Amino acid sequence: MEIKNICCIGAGYVGGPTMAIISYKCPNIQVEVVDNNEDRVNQWNSENFDNLPIYEPGLAKIVKKCRGKNLYFSTSVENSIRKADMIFISVNTPTKKKGIGAGMASDLKWVEACARLVANYAEGHTIVVEKSTIPVRTAEVIKSILEGSDHSTNKIKNSTYEVLSNPEFLAEGTAINDLLYPDRVLIGGENEKAIMSLSNIYSNWVPKEKIIHTNIWSSELAKLTANAFLAQRISSINSVGALCEATGADVREVARAIGSDSRIGSKFLNAGPGFGGSCFKKDILNLVYLSRYFGLPEVADFWEGVVKLNSWHQHRISKLVVQKLFGTVTGKKILILGFAFKANTNDTRESASIKICKDLIEEGALLFIHDPKVSSKQIKADLQIDEDIYLKSKSESQITHAEGGWCAIETITSSIDNADAIVILTEWKEYFDIDWETIATKMRRPAWIFDARSVLKDENISNFGLNFWRVGDGSKNNISNLLEN
Ligand code: NAD
Ligand code: UDX
């Protein structure tokens, strides 16, 4: 079946960039991305390409090339479904907040709503593609809504369906590159013709050997498992980092040593402030829930450990900051560098910065938060604490203000006066080249630099009389003291 019209429900971090690439690589296909969030759709349609709702390197350029030609963003969900030969469901699947499985299982209400919309409006033969990350066997739910709910409507509309699973593996910040040069494209399904229709779209730019076909359940489960394996590596290296700090080893050296074993590999071995992002935690918790549901508590406990370690590690960092600043941060000025969950994205979902900042504010610290892409509105929404206007107005002089609070800052130099510490939580490129000599003259002594992303060079800091802590680096610790303690 040749696909001429695609509808993608969900103009988010996945739907937007994925459809931009499909339209770019397949000029003969009309691609419409629909969303019921009008603001988001307006942002996708904004005249100024700097105002797209998602920041991804290279994305604006591609949207500029295709928008209005064969790429459209709209709120007319029903119309778009009617026209489409293939419909991607790319809506959010967050962890359930209440009811059965709360805090663990994925909330499928948005996926189910999409299936019902498709059942109501699709005409002729339609291939429905699960792009969202969903629990294994969700295709069954979608199918039964599409086929089972109302035979008579389907007959009148002459509607038939095929359901495929095509999970997305892009990472934020590198989405365009990941989509253009994927390690693999995974397509799970039962019907060979439907699988080939989707395969043919990808084969416009992805080598055939990288397009993997599996049964639908393997495809659904492979997505959850891929994220679980990646997150597990981060918890593993962060746990080793804590041990390095206690024993005089350096986690970067350990990572290099173990990563050069080709069976282990060097990627995803950077110790940091703990993994964030919208996917890892939610997908592992979903795996934990499914394992328990299928009567495999040991499997569930194994994966739950990855999330527990991550949370412990994030609190470990905030505790360590307090300890190094003589056991109290009340009324102390601390610059936080980076609020996004990783560099090159404006996404803050599950960012380690949220937990660490909340902890420090709770301890009474005065936080001056810098991030090149995250707005103060977003920080406020994440911390659920209003921005402290007093702090903002006093950012250049001494503050006599003891309560915990935060404000957003535009530049580091304008707010550094009398700061007690700087904590680097996101690896933004600009933090690699800070002028430490100038910074050092302005901070209150003894001053501390906490580098949770290993972006700084030791000598650049210590030469200017600043105390320096780096995640997973125990090489400067006096081990005999540590053992005595
Ligand atoms: P998102 O929250 O950025 O976007 C989802 C969009 O769907 C929202 O704009 C929302 O308004 C829209 N939506 C929800 N219900 C709708 C409906 N009934 N009709 C029309 N629009 C509707 O989410 P995202 O980050 O793009 O993630 C989407 C899915 O992809 C999730 O399942 C996620 O786990 C998965 N995923 C995400 C990433 C990532 O890096 N963000 C990577 C791989 C997979
Ligand atoms: C992840 C998966 O990588 C991607 O395949 C999937 O489709 C969605 O989830 P994403 O969350 O966007 O992508 O970013 P990723 O690069 O995986 O980083 C996740 C978190 O782990 C970030 O907080 C990052 O800083 C952290 N991380 C990553 C580390 O702390 N160390 C590393 O070595 C790698």
Side-chain angles (χ1 to χ4, degrees):
M1 178 181 167
E2 197 198 343
I3 304 299
K4 294 200 179 94
N5 290 294
I6 287 179
C7 160
C8 172
I9 313 180
Y13 283 86
V14 168
T18 313
M19 292 303 126
I21 295 296
I22 291 185
S23 67
Y24 175 56
K25 291 291 181 181
C26 311
N28 298 328
I29 301 179
Q30 295 293 307
V31 180
E32 194 162 10
V33 192
V34 293
D35 203 295
N36 53 13
N37 179 338
E38 203 177 333
D39 286 347
R40 212 168 207 187
V41 169
N42 288 341
Q43 282 176 295
W44 280 112
N45 285 325
S46 45
E47 299 269 310
N48 182 347
F49 287 87
D50 288 338
N51 293 340
L52 298 183
I54 286 157
Y55 171 71
E56 274 297 331
L59 174 66
K61 216 165 138 191
I62 288 175
V63 174
K64 200 173 182 176
K65 274 198 176 127
C66 303
R67 203 179 67 192
K69 289 188 187 127
N70 69 330
L71 175 66
Y72 304 89
F73 295 92
S74 123
T75 49
S76 25
V77 183
E78 291 87 354
N79 251 340
S80 181
I81 290 175
R82 227 175 252 128
K83 283 186 291 184
D85 316 306
M86 183 174 272
I87 298 172
F88 287 79
I89 298 181
S90 191
V91 296
N92 34 321
T93 49
T95 305
K96 267 184 96 170
K97 291 210 173 98
K98 51 184 180 182
I100 299 168
M104 287 270 166
S106 288
D107 194 338
L108 291 179
K109 74 175 175 214
W110 291 274
V111 171
E112 187 180 328
C114 289
R116 289 184 193 283
L117 282 169
V118 176
N120 284 339
Y121 298 104
E123 292 176 359
H125 187 63
T126 310
I127 299 174
V128 178
V129 183
E130 297 172 338
K131 194 48 131 173
S132 296
T133 305
I134 30 79
V136 60
R137 300 204 79 88
T138 301
E140 215 161 48
V141 177
I142 297 179
K143 264 189 208 165
S144 56
I145 291 173
L146 294 177
E147 288 165 3
S149 63
D150 193 345
H151 282 292
S152 53
T153 319
N154 284 343
K155 255 192 201 146
I156 297 164
K157 294 195 288 128
N158 198 17
S159 305
T160 52
Y161 305 97
E162 270 311 322
V163 179
L164 297 177
S165 157
N166 172 222
E168 185 47 61
F169 294 100
L170 68 79
E172 289 180 28
T174 53
I176 297 303
N177 201 58
D178 295 342
L179 288 163
L180 287 174
Y181 310 102
D183 285 343
R184 78 317 210 169
V185 165
L186 180 57
I187 302 175
E190 288 158 357
N191 180 293
E192 198 53 32
K193 276 191 189 155
I195 293 175
M196 284 320 293
S197 299
L198 184 54
S199 259
N200 289 340
I201 293 176
Y202 283 110
S203 60
N204 282 299
W205 76 96
V206 180
K208 283 206 166 54
E209 63 278 10
K210 290 195 171 185
I211 304 177
I212 302 173
H213 298 176
T214 65
N215 84 31
I216 200 155
W217 319 125
S218 305
S219 172
E220 290 179 337
L221 189 57
K223 173 62 199 175
L224 292 183
T225 318
N227 275 352
F229 266 62
L230 290 169
Q232 172 271 123
R233 278 174 77 94
I234 301 169
S235 279
S236 297
I237 202 68
N238 285 334
S239 73
V240 171
L243 203 54
C244 287
E245 287 170 36
T247 56
D250 180 347
V251 74
R252 294 168 308 158
E253 292 178 352
V254 175
R256 200 170 77 218
I258 61 172
S260 54
D261 183 329
S262 60
R263 293 169 302 174
I264 297 175
S266 60
K267 293 183 180 164
F268 265 68
L269 286 181
N270 292 322
F275 60 76
S278 64
C279 296
F280 282 171
K281 185 174 166 194
K282 124 178 129 61
D283 292 347
I284 298 181
L285 290 176
N286 187 3
L287 200 60
V288 171
Y289 180 76
L290 285 171
S291 305
R292 293 229 165 90
Y293 178 83
F294 287 109
L296 299 164
E298 290 78 6
V299 178
D301 292 347
F302 173 76
W303 288 112
E304 197 169 15
V306 173
V307 176
K308 282 187 178 159
L309 192 291
N310 195 53
S311 177
W312 168 79
H313 177 66
Q314 291 171 349
H315 289 305
R316 183 177 87 83
I317 291 182
S318 36
K319 266 193 206 154
L320 196 136
V321 171
V322 176
Q323 266 165 16
K324 298 275 188 203
L325 296 179
F326 307 117
T328 174
V329 290
T330 305
K332 289 185 180 163
K333 180 173 177 180
I334 299 177
L335 264 66
I336 300 290
L337 304 192
F339 204 79
F341 81 97
K342 63 189 268 195
N344 293 323
T345 176
N346 57 349
D347 196 347
T348 59
R349 291 178 286 181
E350 297 294 338
S351 175
S353 302
I354 301 174
K355 227 176 240 169
I356 294 170
C357 288
K358 274 189 170 171
D359 282 353
L360 293 173
I361 292 171
E362 177 76 23
E363 290 285 338
L366 311 176
L367 302 185
F368 288 69
I369 304 177
H370 178 268
D371 191 289
K373 290 287 174 200
V374 179
S375 65
S376 56
K377 192 172 154 209
Q378 185 59 50
I379 299 174
K380 176 181 162 186
D382 289 328
L383 294 178
Q384 293 173 329
I385 304 171
D386 284 340
E387 186 170 12
D388 190 322
I389 304 303
Y390 170 80
L391 278 188
K392 211 170 172 70
S393 66
K394 296 281 175 190
S395 61
E396 283 171 35
S397 56
Q398 183 114 30
I399 303 151
T400 46
H401 185 88
E403 288 299 308
W406 71 277
C407 71
I409 57 172
E410 301 280 318
T411 66
I412 302 165
T413 38
S414 64
S415 312
I416 190 67
D417 283 355
N418 290 312
D420 295 283
I422 295 179
V423 187
I424 301 181
L425 294 177
T426 312
E427 71 286 21
W428 285 105
K429 199 161 177 287
E430 60 200 87
Y431 302 154
F432 287 72
D433 306 316
I434 291 171
D435 172 6
W436 289 106
E437 192 168 6
T438 310
I439 297 285
T441 58
K442 298 187 169 178
M443 295 181 76
R444 184 167 79 156
R445 303 302 174 98
W448 273 91
I449 311 300
F450 298 92
D451 180 5
R453 288 288 188 175
S454 292
V455 301
L456 305 181
K457 287 207 178 79
D458 196 358
E459 59 274 18
N460 287 354
I461 307 300
S462 315
N463 287 350
F464 303 120
L466 299 167
N467 295 304
F468 184 42
W469 172 89
R470 176 164 48 211
V471 67
D473 185 0
S475 61
K476 281 169 291 303
N477 288 342
N478 183 334
I479 301 306
S480 50
N481 282 352
L482 283 171
L483 291 176
E484 275 165 27
N485 292 338

